[in-house]
Amino acid sequence: MYWERSKRRYRERALKLNIKNPSKWKYRQDKKPHGLTPPRPEEPKEIDAYKQDLLIPPQRPTVRFSLQAKFRKSSQWSSVSPSASVINELAKMGDPDVLEMVHQDRQFSREDRYSKANEDLRSSESSFLICQEPRSAKRYNLFLRRRLLFKKDEQSKDSIFFRDGIRKIDFVLSYVDDIKKEAELKAERRRQFEQNLRKTGLELEIEDKMNSEDGRTYFVKIHAPWEVLVTYAEVLGIKMPVKESDIPSADRTPFSCMLEPLKLPRGVKHPTPDYFTVQFSRHRQELFLIKDESSFFPSSSRNRIVYYILSRCPFGMEDGKKRFGIERLLNSNTYSSAFPLHDGQYWKASEPPNPVNQRNILYQNWARFSYFYKEQPFNLIRDYYGEKIGIYFVFLGFYTEMLFFAAVVGLACFIYGLLTIPKTSSSSIQICDPEIGGQIIMCPLCDELCDYWRLNSTCLASKISHLFDNESTVFFAIFMGIWVTLFLEFWKRRQARLEYEWDLVDFEEEQQQLQLRPEFEAMCTKRKLNAVTQEMEPYLPLYSRLPWYILSGVTVTLWMALVVACMVAVIVYRLSVFATFASFMESEASLKHVKSFLTPQITTSLSGSCLNFIVILILNFFYEKISAWITKMEIPRTHQEYESSLTLKMFLFQFVNYYSSCFYVAFFKGKFVGYPGKYTYLFGVWRSEECDPAGCLVELTTQLTIIMTGKQIFGNIKEAIYPLVLNWWRRRKARTNSEKLYSRWEQDHDLETFGSLELFYEYLETVIQFGFVTLFVASFPLAPLLALLNNIIEIRVDAWKLTTQYRRPVAAKAHSIGVWQDILYGMAVLSVATNAVIVAFTSDMVPRLVYYYAYSVNETWPMKGYINNSLSVFLIADFPNHTVPSEKRDYNTCRYRDYRNPPDSEDKYAHNIQYWHVLAAKMTFIIIMEHVVFLIKFFLAWMIPDVPKDVLERVKREKLMTIKILHDFELNKLKENLKLNSASSADFTKHLAIQENKANLAESTT
């Protein structure tokens, strides 16, 4: 089989590499005679049983090496074994015997060093007594002494250690006895899986179900010893500190004093000093700043290493295929959960001997709502949750900061519109005037059931329209086009600084090849040479995945078509109920007082928007499940490819789902209505909707407000209330035996799971909000303000739920927001076009300007007569029989919104010359606005560098220093080897001289 063949090839390669080195196979090994070993006292059975519990390896006999030194030429520059890459490859493949090979590799390296120290000696024989692992033995002896003094039942419920109180718990697995027919199969899977985990070097401790709170859950506690951590830290390319940085901090700014109330304490903002770092190597441990092995690797790195092993550890052969990975075991309910532990309770600090409770620090300084105005402790978030979650909160915080400027300008534009309603709103003044709007009779809005109506009945709607459709609308649309460019360019700079501060500068080169998904490796039957690494790696031909790609594309297309169909259904609803609302409100006497502000148009718009929002939520719920399943079936190669594929599917659907109704109101409603007597009909049944005489901008604002606000409120309630209620109910069911110890792992077990897609949905929510803020902001200048208020709450809600309501997620690395950045760029470009079209076609700005400069005849009040000019005349006698109102009126003509010839014209009801003037002005405005904004965008993007100058200098400085540190380290090692060689040569010369003197003396005596 492929998996076995691959590992066999790597093992043969390791054997060949070891044989090729003559110094590793030229020694004769003999066991030391038993008579030379002093008898050991017999150990108590309790200690012997505990050894098995601790998985202490049995004592190996001391080995005597007979060194027959031979002269050889070899480089003494590096002591790294030539089989290191082989060991790393086997570790990536989940070989459970990696740790044993590491020990052998160490032994060979040690022998190689001994041979180097004596390579100039002639044939001689020396004996070296080599202890296997004196440091490990000392630690195990310490475990035994502590174990004898420790009582299991007296451990603290917040303890994050094994029963010995020393070994820290890095990961926890849980399972429940299954009485079904698959119970034996699951038990065998667990047995093999745990056995292979022990082979990799992980240490396990099992808590019996009788000790659990519910009396039926087993817990498997996992600890990664030092040998495992250093092996897999090298495999994963984890960077660790080698020297404290001498680059001064750049925290102080000219406005630091003013921003002091917003800042956190320095110990929280920067929990650790800044260091120069290099990729960890187990062969260069002396190079790194290892003060304490137990705390050298942060908890996020420890649980990341353990999860890497869990995701690749095999658990047997099934159906002729090798099965591996904790995810498969979780999906088959062999284990019920797998999670790293929190540091302790979030509401109190830790007590000795537990380490510092970073969870409590995060809660006190980040997750409380009273700290909504404070900055976020990004470094602490990264240390506790990993870079992937940390960069999300950095992005959300930066986006919120930039929204502040857009919100201030948008609020200023809204206030300007509010203040200018009674003064400069010529349209609303004329509509509300009884002598103008009160005398204009409008044509019916629907066939037969609707009656004629007076223009001043829409007085309130025209005033509301002026709030968002005024002179500042154009300015705000151009401003937002510039703002979105500045936001994206400054984010690139912030991201570059973050990559330097979090040691992610070379992340792509380090990690890209290490992120193969276990599911992809399991499905591969072929291997292919990687052009970059020149190593063989799993390969899946395109024809194997092509059917799933086709199915994926068809499914996404069908669902987007379903969204459009639902939008059409909502439009049909609006068309069908409008006549009902109109006739009901006209006939109902009790509604006379609300008719002034609750018109049939507004009522239909509100109810249609609410219905559309409910449909959006329902479609989202089902599509999320289907898209995740289809993406898995595509078998993406890496985790990044998986997320990119899922992101594309989800975003395309959400884009159509959330924005389709807004696009309809902004660009289609009222544009293809026709005119009285010759209206256009949807499916030949329902008459097309018309815009309000003041324009469709009010309805677009209503639609946007309901969907955007409803989504944010629903999202926050779901994120805060849902996990809180679930956790309360789970704890209520679990706590049946209050006299038992409610341990740390049980407390975390009862929390909600932070799934692999939770962060994906957080990004998706933010990007959809970004679309509302940018794509349609010309119609609703308060959108940035609503987004700002929501994000201030969102940051604290996300922090609170992550710190208090969710299990600790497995740490993961990321150097950017990934494909979301490309989506943001695409939306930024699209927003320029949408806002230009909204201002030109949806608002009344361009028709007013055309009238002002080309058709106005009143010099003292240029806009006087605009409303009358924008309404065309229709002869009621020209109504077809099936559209004329059922009630007869004494009107000869009615008015409708369009630029058409009057009924007494030769070409009656055809578009007049003013219609073409207005259309030309709209197209000209779109072209000019787009070119101006794009020119400014490209100029700003060119002028602002992607990476700050000081960051470039810091990166160069750190690279220079790390190269110097590595050079000095290797140089010192070379000097030590040379000194050892010279000392050995001097001792040999002295010994040879003594032997010659003795021989001469013996000859002289004879």
Side-chain angles (χ1 to χ4, degrees), residues 209-241:
K209 65 180 181 180
M210 301 306 296
N211 297 326
S212 63
E213 186 68 22
D214 58 6
R216 61 190 188 91
T217 305
Y218 293 87
F219 291 94
V220 181
K221 298 175 289 184
I222 302 176
H223 167 74
W226 177 254
E227 292 79 6
V228 174
L229 294 175
V230 297
T231 300
Y232 283 91
E234 182 175 357
V235 171
L236 294 176
I238 296 177
K239 288 187 175 182
M240 299 306 294

Side-chain angles (χ1 to χ4, degrees), residues 776-792:
F776 309 101
V777 73
S779 66
F780 189 38
L782 292 180
L785 179 62
L786 293 180
L788 173 66
L789 297 177
N790 173 80
N791 287 358
I792 291 174

Side-chain angles (χ1 to χ4, degrees), residues 616-787:
I616 287 173
L617 296 180
I618 295 173
L619 291 176
N620 273 345
F621 176 79
F622 289 105
Y623 184 76
E624 287 175 1
K625 313 293 182 184
I626 295 175
S627 60
W629 176 76
I630 292 178
T631 307
K632 283 185 179 180
M633 294 299 101
E634 291 177 1
I635 320 175
R637 178 175 176 273
T638 64
H639 294 282
Q640 183 178 0
E641 288 182 9
Y642 175 84
E643 291 186 2
S644 298
S645 178
L646 182 62
T647 300
L648 180 63
K649 294 182 185 63
M650 286 298 299
F651 177 74
L652 286 176
F653 174 79
Q654 298 259 17
F655 185 91
V656 177
N657 198 19
Y658 278 105
Y659 302 144
S660 57
S661 58
C662 295
F663 272 102
Y664 163 72
V665 175
F667 307 132
F668 297 101
K669 184 180 178 181
K671 307 300 186 296
F672 311 100
V673 176
Y675 60 92
K678 197 176 181 180
Y679 286 114
T680 58
Y681 289 84
L682 183 64
F683 304 127
V685 179
W686 295 282
R687 198 175 105 182
S688 299
E689 289 184 283
E690 296 183 50
C691 288
D692 191 89
C696 278
L697 203 66
V698 174
E699 190 167 344
L700 177 59
T701 303
T702 304
Q703 185 87 7
L704 188 66
T705 305
I706 290 177
I707 295 178
M708 180 180 177
T709 308
K711 180 183 182 300
Q712 294 180 164
I713 294 175
F714 177 79
N716 285 328
I717 291 176
K718 178 184 175 183
E719 291 181 5
I721 305 300
Y722 179 72
L724 185 65
V725 173
L726 279 183
N727 291 338
W728 171 82
W729 180 252
R730 191 180 292 111
R731 285 192 294 266
R732 185 176 181 273
K733 290 174 61 179
R735 302 224 50 185
T736 56
N737 302 298
S738 58
E739 71 277 0
K740 291 188 177 181
L741 178 68
Y742 193 45
S743 58
R744 171 80 265 138
W745 45 89
E746 289 180 279
Q747 297 172 44
D748 285 8
H749 178 263
D750 291 340
L751 296 177
E752 186 69 10
T753 303
F754 190 85
S756 59
L757 296 179
E758 291 290 336
L759 202 61
F760 166 81
Y761 290 120
E762 296 291 347
Y763 273 118
L764 182 62
E765 180 183 358
T766 305
V767 170
I768 293 298
Q769 183 202 82
F770 180 82
F772 283 121
V773 169
T774 56
L775 294 178
F776 309 101
V777 73
S779 66
F780 189 38
L782 292 180
L785 179 62
L786 293 180

Side-chain angles (χ1 to χ4, degrees), residues 338-480:
F339 55 91
L341 281 184
H342 278 296
D343 282 356
Q345 302 285 6
Y346 67 85
W347 63 80
K348 67 176 182 180
S350 61
E351 299 177 358
N354 287 346
V356 176
N357 187 356
Q358 291 183 330
R359 185 188 187 191
N360 173 255
I361 299 175
L362 285 171
Y363 175 75
Q364 295 293 336
N365 297 277
W366 180 47
R368 292 193 298 172
F369 290 96
S370 57
Y371 273 48
F372 72 92
Y373 62 94
K374 292 278 191 180
E375 63 181 344
Q376 300 182 72
F378 295 125
N379 290 323
L380 194 59
I381 298 170
R382 174 236 184 172
D383 291 342
Y384 194 72
Y385 292 113
E387 288 82 357
K388 192 170 186 178
I389 291 179
I391 203 169
Y392 161 73
F393 282 102
V394 175
F395 170 73
L396 185 58
F398 181 81
Y399 171 50
T400 305
E401 292 173 5
M402 292 295 292
L403 274 177
F404 174 78
F405 303 101
V408 170
V409 177
L411 182 62
C413 293
F414 178 79
I415 293 174
Y416 171 82
L418 187 65
L419 297 177
T420 56
I421 286 179
K423 298 180 180 179
T424 62
S425 178
S426 57
S427 298
S428 61
I429 291 175
Q430 296 178 57
I431 291 174
C432 297
D433 190 347
E435 300 299 325
I436 301 176
Q439 301 300 319
I440 297 178
I441 306 299
M442 303 295 295
C443 294
L445 295 173
C446 63
D447 296 339
E448 296 186 287
L449 296 178
C450 297
D451 200 358
Y452 302 99
W453 53 286
R454 295 185 182 276
L455 181 60
N456 64 351
S457 63
T458 61
C459 175
L460 181 61
S462 66
K463 291 182 178 180
I464 296 175
S465 177
H466 181 76
L467 292 173
F468 310 105
D469 187 7
N470 52 66
E471 292 78 6
S472 65
T473 302
V474 178
F475 163 76
F476 190 61
I478 296 175
F479 170 80
M480 287 303 296

Side-chain angles (χ1 to χ4, degrees), residues 57 98 108 111 141 355 456 659 675 679 699 740 772 934-935 977 996:
V98 168
F108 292 144
E111 295 171 8
N141 291 335
N456 64 351
Y659 302 144
Y675 60 92
Y679 286 114
E699 190 167 344
K740 291 188 177 181
F772 283 121
F934 279 129
L935 183 63
N977 290 337
E996 288 179 354

